[in-house]
Amino acid sequence: RGNKLGLRLRHQGAIFADSPLVVGRPRLSSHNLVDLTIAREPSVRHEIFFSITNLFDRQQFLFNGFPGAGRRIQAGYTHRF
């Protein structure tokens, strides 16, 4: 029971963009991402949560220079049986 607060720091190292559409081999710089989670457990079986992934909306690249998802906001409820 109680309140929860979570802060997660993720680091993505520098990568090279290997793409047939780009001449040469450009290097994409490293960056840090911050995620935040806030939750409340009113009882042992129930939890209400709110989370933000990529809190500061940093641009990230996942594959061959294609941009990844930006900020993602989620809210939900968990019931344990």
Side-chain angles (χ1 to χ4, degrees):
R1 284 185 60 143
N3 299 320
K4 296 179 182 179
L5 176 65
L7 189 64
R8 182 171 70 164
L9 176 64
R10 296 182 288 145
H11 175 76
Q12 181 175 355
I15 59 173
F16 289 98
D18 293 327
S19 174
L21 304 175
V22 178
V23 176
R25 195 170 184 219
R27 182 176 186 267
L28 304 174
S29 63
S30 64
H31 57 275
N32 296 312
L33 301 170
V34 178
D35 303 333
L36 174 70
T37 301
I38 300 170
R40 169 83 174 132
E41 283 188 342
S43 71
V44 176
R45 302 180 81 187
H46 306 279
E47 180 181 72
I48 300 165
F49 66 88
F50 176 78
S51 67
I52 302 174
T53 304
N54 194 1
L55 182 63
F56 301 114
D57 202 20
R58 291 280 314 247
Q59 184 176 13
Q60 54 184 325
F61 295 96
L62 297 180
F63 180 72
N64 286 338
F66 291 101
R71 180 183 299 134
R72 185 176 67 205
I73 300 173
Q74 295 177 305
Y77 169 78
T78 301
H79 178 79
R80 295 177 189 89
F81 294 94

Coordinates of all heavy atoms in Angstrom, one line a residue:
R1 N 0.8 -1.2 0.0 CA 0.0 0.0 0.0 C 0.9 1.2 0.0 O 1.9 1.3 0.5 CB -0.9 0.0 1.2 CG -2.0 -0.9 1.2 CD -2.9 -0.7 2.4 NE -3.4 0.6 2.4 CZ -4.6 1.0 2.8 NH1 -5.4 0.1 3.3 NH2 -4.9 2.2 2.8
G2 N 0.3 2.3 -0.6 CA 1.0 3.6 -0.5 C 1.3 4.2 -1.9 O 0.7 3.8 -2.9
N3 N 2.2 5.1 -1.9 CA 2.6 5.8 -3.1 C 3.9 5.3 -3.7 O 4.8 4.9 -2.9 CB 2.7 7.3 -2.8 CG 1.4 7.9 -2.3 OD1 0.3 7.5 -2.8 ND2 1.4 8.7 -1.3
K4 N 4.1 5.4 -5.0 CA 5.3 5.0 -5.6 C 5.7 6.1 -6.6 O 4.9 6.8 -7.2 CB 5.1 3.8 -6.4 CG 4.8 2.5 -5.6 CD 4.6 1.4 -6.6 CE 4.2 0.1 -5.8 NZ 4.0 -1.0 -6.8
L5 N 7.0 6.4 -6.6 CA 7.6 7.3 -7.6 C 8.8 6.7 -8.2 O 9.7 6.2 -7.5 CB 8.0 8.6 -6.8 CG 8.7 9.7 -7.7 CD1 7.7 10.2 -8.8 CD2 9.1 10.8 -6.8
G6 N 8.9 6.6 -9.5 CA 10.0 6.0 -10.2 C 10.6 7.0 -11.2 O 9.9 7.6 -11.9
L7 N 11.9 7.0 -11.2 CA 12.6 7.9 -12.2 C 13.7 7.0 -12.8 O 14.5 6.4 -12.1 CB 13.3 9.1 -11.5 CG 13.8 10.1 -12.4 CD1 12.8 10.8 -13.2 CD2 14.5 11.2 -11.5
R8 N 13.7 6.9 -14.1 CA 14.6 6.0 -14.8 C 15.4 6.8 -15.8 O 14.9 7.6 -16.6 CB 13.9 4.9 -15.5 CG 14.8 3.9 -16.2 CD 14.1 2.7 -16.8 NE 13.2 3.1 -17.9 CZ 12.7 2.2 -18.7 NH1 12.9 0.9 -18.5 NH2 11.9 2.6 -19.7
L9 N 16.7 6.6 -15.8 CA 17.6 7.3 -16.7 C 18.2 6.2 -17.7 O 18.7 5.2 -17.3 CB 18.8 8.0 -16.0 CG 19.9 8.6 -16.9 CD1 19.3 9.8 -17.7 CD2 21.0 9.1 -16.0
R10 N 18.0 6.5 -19.0 CA 18.5 5.5 -20.0 C 19.5 6.2 -20.9 O 19.3 7.4 -21.3 CB 17.3 5.0 -20.9 CG 16.3 4.2 -20.2 CD 15.2 3.8 -21.1 NE 14.3 4.9 -21.5 CZ 13.8 5.0 -22.7 NH1 14.0 4.1 -23.6 NH2 13.0 6.0 -23.0
H11 N 20.6 5.5 -21.2 CA 21.6 6.1 -22.0 C 21.7 5.3 -23.3 O 21.8 4.1 -23.3 CB 23.0 6.1 -21.3 CG 24.1 6.5 -22.2 ND1 24.3 7.9 -22.5 CD2 25.1 5.8 -22.9 CE1 25.3 8.0 -23.3 NE2 25.8 6.8 -23.6
Q12 N 21.7 6.0 -24.5 CA 21.9 5.3 -25.7 C 23.2 5.8 -26.3 O 23.3 7.0 -26.5 CB 20.7 5.6 -26.7 CG 20.9 4.9 -28.0 CD 19.7 5.0 -29.0 OE1 18.7 5.6 -28.6 NE2 19.9 4.5 -30.2
G13 N 24.1 4.9 -26.5 CA 25.4 5.3 -27.1 C 25.3 5.7 -28.5 O 24.3 5.5 -29.2
A14 N 26.4 6.3 -29.0 CA 26.5 6.7 -30.4 C 26.4 5.5 -31.3 O 26.9 4.4 -31.0 CB 27.8 7.5 -30.7
I15 N 25.7 5.7 -32.5 CA 25.6 4.6 -33.5 C 25.9 5.2 -34.9 O 25.8 6.4 -35.1 CB 24.2 4.0 -33.4 CG1 23.1 5.0 -33.7 CG2 24.0 3.2 -32.1 CD1 21.7 4.4 -33.8
F16 N 26.1 4.3 -35.8 CA 26.3 4.7 -37.2 C 25.0 4.4 -37.9 O 24.4 3.4 -37.7 CB 27.5 4.0 -37.8 CG 28.8 4.4 -37.3 CD1 29.5 3.7 -36.4 CD2 29.4 5.6 -37.8 CE1 30.7 4.1 -35.9 CE2 30.6 6.0 -37.4 CZ 31.3 5.3 -36.4
A17 N 24.6 5.3 -38.8 CA 23.4 5.1 -39.6 C 23.8 4.4 -40.9 O 24.3 5.0 -41.9 CB 22.8 6.5 -39.9
D18 N 23.7 3.1 -41.0 CA 24.0 2.3 -42.2 C 22.7 2.2 -43.0 O 21.8 1.4 -42.8 CB 24.4 0.9 -41.8 CG 25.8 0.9 -41.1 OD1 26.6 1.8 -41.4 OD2 26.0 0.1 -40.2
S19 N 22.6 3.1 -44.0 CA 21.4 3.1 -44.9 C 21.9 3.2 -46.3 O 22.7 4.0 -46.7 CB 20.6 4.3 -44.5 OG 19.5 4.4 -45.4
P20 N 21.2 2.5 -47.2 CA 21.5 2.6 -48.6 C 21.1 3.9 -49.2 O 21.5 4.3 -50.3 CB 20.8 1.4 -49.2 CG 19.7 1.0 -48.3 CD 20.3 1.4 -46.9
L21 N 20.2 4.6 -48.4 CA 19.7 5.9 -48.9 C 20.6 7.1 -48.6 O 20.4 8.2 -49.0 CB 18.3 6.2 -48.3 CG 17.3 5.0 -48.6 CD1 16.0 5.3 -47.8 CD2 17.0 4.9 -50.0
V22 N 21.7 6.9 -47.8 CA 22.5 7.9 -47.3 C 24.0 7.7 -47.8 O 24.5 6.5 -47.6 CB 22.5 8.0 -45.7 CG1 23.5 9.1 -45.3 CG2 21.1 8.3 -45.2
V23 N 24.6 8.7 -48.4 CA 26.0 8.5 -48.8 C 26.9 8.6 -47.6 O 26.7 9.5 -46.8 CB 26.3 9.6 -49.9 CG1 27.8 9.5 -50.3 CG2 25.4 9.5 -51.1
G24 N 27.9 7.8 -47.5 CA 28.8 7.8 -46.4 C 28.2 7.0 -45.2 O 27.3 6.2 -45.4
R25 N 28.7 7.2 -44.1 CA 28.3 6.5 -42.9 C 28.2 7.5 -41.7 O 29.0 7.6 -40.9 CB 29.3 5.4 -42.6 CG 28.7 4.4 -41.6 CD 29.7 3.2 -41.5 NE 29.1 2.3 -40.6 CZ 29.8 1.5 -39.8 NH1 31.1 1.6 -39.7 NH2 29.2 0.7 -39.0
P26 N 27.1 8.3 -41.7 CA 26.9 9.3 -40.7 C 26.8 8.7 -39.3 O 26.3 7.6 -39.1 CB 25.7 10.1 -41.0 CG 24.9 9.2 -41.9 CD 25.9 8.3 -42.6
R27 N 27.4 9.4 -38.3 CA 27.4 9.0 -36.9 C 26.3 9.7 -36.2 O 26.2 11.0 -36.2 CB 28.7 9.2 -36.3 CG 28.8 8.8 -34.9 CD 30.3 9.0 -34.4 NE 30.5 8.5 -33.1 CZ 30.4 9.2 -31.9 NH1 30.1 10.4 -32.0 NH2 30.6 8.6 -30.8
L28 N 25.4 9.0 -35.5 CA 24.4 9.6 -34.7 C 24.9 9.7 -33.2 O 25.3 8.7 -32.7 CB 23.1 8.8 -34.8 CG 22.5 8.6 -36.2 CD1 21.4 7.6 -36.2 CD2 22.2 9.9 -36.8
S29 N 24.8 10.9 -32.6 CA 25.4 11.1 -31.3 C 24.6 10.3 -30.2 O 23.5 9.9 -30.4 CB 25.4 12.5 -31.0 OG 24.1 13.1 -30.9
S30 N 25.3 10.1 -29.1 CA 24.7 9.5 -27.9 C 23.8 10.5 -27.2 O 23.9 11.7 -27.4 CB 25.8 9.0 -27.0 OG 26.5 10.1 -26.4
H31 N 22.8 10.0 -26.4 CA 22.0 10.8 -25.7 C 21.4 10.1 -24.5 O 21.4 8.9 -24.4 CB 20.8 11.4 -26.6 CG 20.0 10.3 -27.2 ND1 20.4 9.8 -28.4 CD2 18.9 9.8 -26.9 CE1 19.5 8.9 -28.8 NE2 18.5 8.8 -27.8
N32 N 20.8 10.8 -23.5 CA 20.2 10.3 -22.4 C 18.7 10.5 -22.4 O 18.2 11.6 -22.9 CB 20.7 10.9 -21.1 CG 22.2 10.6 -20.9 OD1 22.6 9.5 -21.0 ND2 23.0 11.6 -20.6
L33 N 17.9 9.6 -21.9 CA 16.5 9.7 -21.9 C 16.0 9.5 -20.4 O 16.6 8.7 -19.7 CB 15.8 8.7 -22.8 CG 16.2 8.7 -24.2 CD1 15.7 7.5 -25.0 CD2 15.6 10.0 -24.9
V34 N 15.0 10.2 -20.0 CA 14.4 10.2 -18.7 C 13.0 9.7 -18.7 O 12.2 10.2 -19.5 CB 14.5 11.5 -18.0 CG1 13.9 11.5 -16.6 CG2 16.0 12.0 -17.9
D35 N 12.6 8.7 -17.9 CA 11.3 8.2 -17.8 C 10.8 8.5 -16.4 O 11.5 8.4 -15.4 CB 11.2 6.7 -18.1 CG 11.7 6.4 -19.4 OD1 11.7 7.2 -20.3 OD2 12.2 5.2 -19.6
L36 N 9.5 8.7 -16.2 CA 8.9 9.0 -14.9 C 7.6 8.2 -14.7 O 6.8 8.1 -15.6 CB 8.5 10.5 -14.8 CG 7.8 11.0 -13.6 CD1 8.7 10.9 -12.4 CD2 7.2 12.4 -13.8
T37 N 7.5 7.6 -13.5 CA 6.3 6.8 -13.2 C 5.8 7.3 -11.8 O 6.6 7.4 -10.9 CB 6.6 5.3 -13.1 OG1 7.1 4.9 -14.4 CG2 5.4 4.5 -12.8
I38 N 4.5 7.5 -11.7 CA 3.9 7.8 -10.4 C 2.7 6.8 -10.3 O 2.0 6.6 -11.2 CB 3.3 9.2 -10.4 CG1 4.5 10.2 -10.7 CG2 2.6 9.5 -9.1 CD1 4.0 11.6 -10.9
A39 N 2.6 6.2 -9.1 CA 1.6 5.2 -8.8 C 1.0 5.4 -7.4 O 1.7 5.8 -6.5 CB 2.1 3.8 -9.1
R40 N -0.2 4.9 -7.3 CA -0.9 4.9 -6.0 C -1.5 3.6 -5.8 O -2.2 3.1 -6.7 CB -1.9 6.0 -5.9 CG -2.9 6.0 -4.8 CD -2.2 6.6 -3.5 NE -3.2 6.7 -2.5 CZ -3.0 6.3 -1.2 NH1 -1.8 5.9 -0.9 NH2 -3.9 6.4 -0.3
E41 N -1.2 2.9 -4.7 CA -1.9 1.6 -4.3 C -2.9 1.9 -3.2 O -2.5 1.9 -2.0 CB -0.8 0.6 -3.9 CG -0.1 0.0 -5.0 CD 0.8 -1.1 -4.5 OE1 1.1 -1.2 -3.3 OE2 1.2 -1.9 -5.4
P42 N -4.1 2.0 -3.5 CA -5.1 2.2 -2.4 C -5.3 1.0 -1.5 O -5.7 1.1 -0.4 CB -6.4 2.6 -3.1 CG -6.2 2.3 -4.5 CD -4.7 2.1 -4.8
S43 N -5.0 -0.2 -2.1 CA -5.1 -1.4 -1.4 C -4.0 -2.4 -2.0 O -3.4 -2.1 -3.0 CB -6.5 -2.1 -1.4 OG -6.7 -2.6 -2.7
V44 N -3.9 -3.6 -1.4 CA -2.9 -4.5 -1.9 C -3.3 -5.0 -3.3 O -2.4 -5.4 -4.1 CB -2.8 -5.7 -0.9 CG1 -1.9 -6.8 -1.4 CG2 -2.4 -5.2 0.5
R45 N -4.5 -5.0 -3.6 CA -5.0 -5.6 -4.9 C -5.2 -4.6 -6.0 O -5.5 -4.9 -7.2 CB -6.3 -6.4 -4.7 CG -6.1 -7.5 -3.7 CD -7.4 -8.2 -3.4 NE -7.5 -9.2 -4.5 CZ -8.6 -9.9 -4.7 NH1 -9.6 -9.8 -3.9 NH2 -8.6 -10.8 -5.7
H46 N -5.1 -3.3 -5.7 CA -5.4 -2.3 -6.7 C -4.2 -1.3 -6.8 O -3.6 -0.9 -5.9 CB -6.6 -1.5 -6.3 CG -7.8 -2.4 -6.1 ND1 -8.6 -2.8 -7.1 CD2 -8.3 -2.9 -4.9 CE1 -9.5 -3.6 -6.6 NE2 -9.4 -3.6 -5.3
E47 N -4.0 -0.8 -8.1 CA -2.9 0.2 -8.3 C -3.4 1.1 -9.5 O -3.9 0.6 -10.5 CB -1.6 -0.5 -8.6 CG -0.5 0.6 -8.9 CD 0.8 -0.1 -9.2 OE1 1.0 -0.6 -10.4 OE2 1.7 -0.1 -8.4
I48 N -3.2 2.4 -9.3 CA -3.5 3.3 -10.4 C -2.1 4.0 -10.7 O -1.4 4.4 -9.8 CB -4.5 4.4 -9.9 CG1 -5.8 3.8 -9.4 CG2 -4.7 5.5 -10.9 CD1 -6.7 4.7 -8.6
F49 N -1.8 4.1 -12.0 CA -0.5 4.6 -12.3 C -0.6 5.6 -13.5 O -1.5 5.6 -14.3 CB 0.5 3.4 -12.7 CG 0.1 2.7 -14.0 CD1 0.5 3.1 -15.2 CD2 -0.7 1.6 -13.9 CE1 0.2 2.4 -16.4 CE2 -1.1 0.9 -15.0 CZ -0.6 1.3 -16.3
F50 N 0.5 6.4 -13.6 CA 0.6 7.4 -14.6 C 2.1 7.4 -15.0 O 3.0 7.5 -14.1 CB 0.2 8.7 -14.1 CG 0.4 9.9 -15.1 CD1 -0.4 10.1 -16.2 CD2 1.5 10.7 -14.9 CE1 -0.2 11.1 -17.1 CE2 1.7 11.8 -15.8 CZ 0.8 11.9 -16.9
S51 N 2.5 7.2 -16.2 CA 3.9 7.2 -16.6 C 4.2 8.0 -17.9 O 3.3 8.1 -18.7 CB 4.4 5.8 -16.8 OG 3.8 5.2 -17.9
I52 N 5.3 8.6 -17.9 CA 5.8 9.3 -19.1 C 7.1 8.7 -19.5 O 8.1 8.7 -18.7 CB 5.9 10.8 -18.8 CG1 4.6 11.4 -18.3 CG2 6.4 11.6 -20.1 CD1 4.7 12.9 -17.9
T53 N 7.2 8.2 -20.7 CA 8.4 7.7 -21.3 C 9.0 8.8 -22.2 O 8.3 9.5 -22.9 CB 8.2 6.5 -22.1 OG1 7.5 5.5 -21.3 CG2 9.4 5.9 -22.7
N54 N 10.3 9.0 -22.1 CA 11.0 10.1 -22.8 C 10.4 11.5 -22.3 O 9.9 12.3 -23.1 CB 10.9 9.9 -24.3 CG 11.8 10.8 -25.1 OD1 12.6 11.6 -24.5 ND2 11.8 10.7 -26.4
L55 N 10.6 11.7 -21.0 CA 10.0 12.9 -20.4 C 10.3 14.2 -21.1 O 9.4 15.1 -21.2 CB 10.4 12.9 -18.9 CG 9.9 14.0 -18.0 CD1 8.4 13.9 -17.9 CD2 10.6 14.0 -16.7
F56 N 11.5 14.4 -21.5 CA 11.9 15.7 -22.1 C 11.8 15.7 -23.6 O 12.2 16.6 -24.3 CB 13.3 16.1 -21.7 CG 13.4 16.2 -20.2 CD1 14.2 15.3 -19.5 CD2 12.7 17.2 -19.5 CE1 14.3 15.4 -18.1 CE2 12.8 17.3 -18.1 CZ 13.6 16.4 -17.4
D57 N 11.1 14.6 -24.2 CA 10.8 14.5 -25.6 C 12.1 14.7 -26.5 O 12.1 15.4 -27.5 CB 9.8 15.5 -26.0 CG 9.1 15.1 -27.3 OD1 9.1 13.9 -27.7 OD2 8.5 16.0 -28.0
R58 N 13.2 14.0 -26.1 CA 14.4 14.0 -26.9 C 14.2 13.2 -28.1 O 13.7 12.1 -28.1 CB 15.6 13.4 -26.1 CG 16.0 14.2 -24.9 CD 16.9 15.4 -25.3 NE 17.9 14.9 -26.2 CZ 19.2 14.8 -26.0 NH1 19.7 15.2 -24.8 NH2 20.1 14.4 -26.9
Q59 N 14.7 13.7 -29.2 CA 14.7 12.9 -30.5 C 15.7 11.7 -30.4 O 16.8 11.9 -29.9 CB 15.0 13.7 -31.7 CG 14.8 13.0 -33.0 CD 15.1 13.9 -34.2 OE1 15.6 15.0 -34.1 NE2 14.7 13.4 -35.4
Q60 N 15.2 10.6 -30.8 CA 16.1 9.4 -30.7 C 16.0 8.6 -32.0 O 15.0 8.7 -32.7 CB 15.7 8.5 -29.6 CG 14.2 8.1 -29.5 CD 13.9 7.3 -28.3 OE1 14.6 6.5 -27.9 NE2 12.7 7.4 -27.8
F61 N 17.0 7.9 -32.4 CA 17.0 7.2 -33.6 C 17.2 5.7 -33.3 O 18.0 5.3 -32.5 CB 18.2 7.6 -34.5 CG 18.1 9.0 -35.0 CD1 18.7 10.1 -34.3 CD2 17.3 9.3 -36.1 CE1 18.5 11.4 -34.7 CE2 17.1 10.6 -36.5 CZ 17.8 11.7 -35.8
L62 N 16.3 4.9 -33.9 CA 16.3 3.5 -33.6 C 17.0 2.6 -34.6 O 17.7 1.7 -34.3 CB 14.9 3.0 -33.4 CG 14.1 3.6 -32.3 CD1 12.7 3.1 -32.3 CD2 14.8 3.4 -31.0
F63 N 16.8 2.9 -35.9 CA 17.4 2.0 -36.9 C 17.7 2.8 -38.2 O 16.7 3.4 -38.7 CB 16.4 0.9 -37.2 CG 16.9 -0.1 -38.2 CD1 17.9 -1.0 -37.9 CD2 16.3 -0.1 -39.4 CE1 18.4 -1.9 -38.9 CE2 16.8 -1.0 -40.4 CZ 17.8 -1.9 -40.1
N64 N 18.9 2.8 -38.6 CA 19.2 3.4 -39.9 C 18.8 4.8 -40.1 O 18.3 5.2 -41.1 CB 18.7 2.6 -41.1 CG 19.5 1.3 -41.3 OD1 20.7 1.2 -40.8 ND2 18.9 0.3 -41.9
G65 N 18.8 5.6 -39.0 CA 18.5 7.0 -39.1 C 17.0 7.3 -39.0 O 16.6 8.4 -39.1
F66 N 16.2 6.3 -38.9 CA 14.7 6.5 -38.8 C 14.4 6.9 -37.3 O 14.9 6.3 -36.4 CB 13.9 5.2 -39.1 CG 14.0 4.9 -40.6 CD1 14.8 3.9 -41.0 CD2 13.2 5.6 -41.5 CE1 14.9 3.6 -42.4 CE2 13.3 5.3 -42.8 CZ 14.1 4.3 -43.3
P67 N 13.6 8.0 -37.2 CA 13.4 8.5 -35.8 C 12.5 7.5 -35.0 O 11.7 6.8 -35.6 CB 12.6 9.8 -36.0 CG 12.0 9.6 -37.4 CD 13.0 8.8 -38.2
G68 N 12.8 7.4 -33.7 CA 12.0 6.6 -32.8 C 10.8 7.4 -32.3 O 10.6 8.5 -32.7
A69 N 10.0 6.7 -31.4 CA 8.9 7.4 -30.9 C 9.3 8.5 -30.0 O 10.4 8.5 -29.3 CB 8.1 6.4 -30.1
G70 N 8.5 9.6 -29.9 CA 8.8 10.7 -29.0 C 8.3 10.4 -27.6 O 8.3 9.3 -27.2
R71 N 7.8 11.4 -27.0 CA 7.2 11.2 -25.6 C 6.0 10.4 -25.7 O 5.2 10.5 -26.6 CB 6.9 12.6 -25.1 CG 6.3 12.5 -23.7 CD 5.8 13.9 -23.2 NE 7.0 14.8 -23.1 CZ 7.0 16.0 -23.6 NH1 5.9 16.5 -24.1 NH2 8.0 16.8 -23.5
R72 N 5.9 9.5 -24.7 CA 4.7 8.6 -24.6 C 4.1 8.7 -23.2 O 4.8 8.6 -22.2 CB 5.1 7.1 -24.9 CG 3.9 6.2 -24.9 CD 4.2 4.8 -25.3 NE 5.0 4.3 -24.2 CZ 5.9 3.3 -24.4 NH1 6.1 2.8 -25.6 NH2 6.6 2.8 -23.4
I73 N 2.8 9.0 -23.1 CA 2.1 9.1 -21.8 C 1.1 8.0 -21.7 O 0.4 7.7 -22.6 CB 1.4 10.5 -21.8 CG1 2.4 11.6 -21.9 CG2 0.6 10.6 -20.5 CD1 1.8 13.0 -22.0
Q74 N 1.2 7.4 -20.5 CA 0.3 6.2 -20.2 C -0.3 6.4 -18.9 O 0.3 6.9 -18.0 CB 1.0 4.9 -20.3 CG 1.6 4.5 -21.6 CD 2.4 3.2 -21.5 OE1 3.3 3.1 -20.7 NE2 2.0 2.3 -22.4
A75 N -1.6 6.0 -18.7 CA -2.2 5.9 -17.5 C -3.0 4.6 -17.4 O -3.4 4.1 -18.5 CB -3.2 7.1 -17.3
G76 N -3.1 4.1 -16.2 CA -3.8 2.8 -16.2 C -4.2 2.4 -14.8 O -3.9 3.0 -13.8
Y77 N -4.8 1.2 -14.7 CA -5.2 0.6 -13.5 C -4.8 -0.9 -13.5 O -4.9 -1.6 -14.5 CB -6.7 0.7 -13.4 CG -7.4 -0.1 -12.3 CD1 -7.3 0.4 -11.0 CD2 -8.0 -1.3 -12.6 CE1 -7.9 -0.4 -10.0 CE2 -8.6 -2.0 -11.6 CZ -8.5 -1.6 -10.3 OH -9.1 -2.3 -9.3
T78 N -4.3 -1.4 -12.4 CA -3.9 -2.8 -12.2 C -4.7 -3.4 -11.1 O -4.9 -2.8 -10.0 CB -2.4 -2.9 -11.9 OG1 -1.7 -2.3 -12.9 CG2 -2.0 -4.4 -11.8
H79 N -5.3 -4.5 -11.4 CA -6.1 -5.3 -10.4 C -5.4 -6.6 -10.2 O -5.2 -7.4 -11.2 CB -7.5 -5.5 -10.8 CG -8.3 -6.3 -9.8 ND1 -8.8 -5.7 -8.6 CD2 -8.6 -7.6 -9.7 CE1 -9.4 -6.7 -7.9 NE2 -9.3 -7.8 -8.6
R80 N -5.0 -7.0 -9.0 CA -4.3 -8.3 -8.8 C -5.3 -9.2 -8.2 O -6.0 -8.9 -7.3 CB -3.1 -8.1 -7.8 CG -2.1 -7.2 -8.4 CD -0.9 -7.0 -7.4 NE 0.0 -6.0 -7.9 CZ -0.1 -4.7 -7.7 NH1 -1.1 -4.2 -7.0 NH2 0.8 -3.9 -8.2
F81 N -5.3 -10.4 -8.7 CA -6.2 -11.5 -8.3 C -5.6 -12.4 -7.2 O -4.4 -12.6 -7.2 CB -6.7 -12.3 -9.4 CG -7.6 -11.6 -10.4 CD1 -7.0 -11.0 -11.5 CD2 -8.9 -11.4 -10.2 CE1 -7.8 -10.3 -12.4 CE2 -9.7 -10.7 -11.1 CZ -9.1 -10.1 -12.2

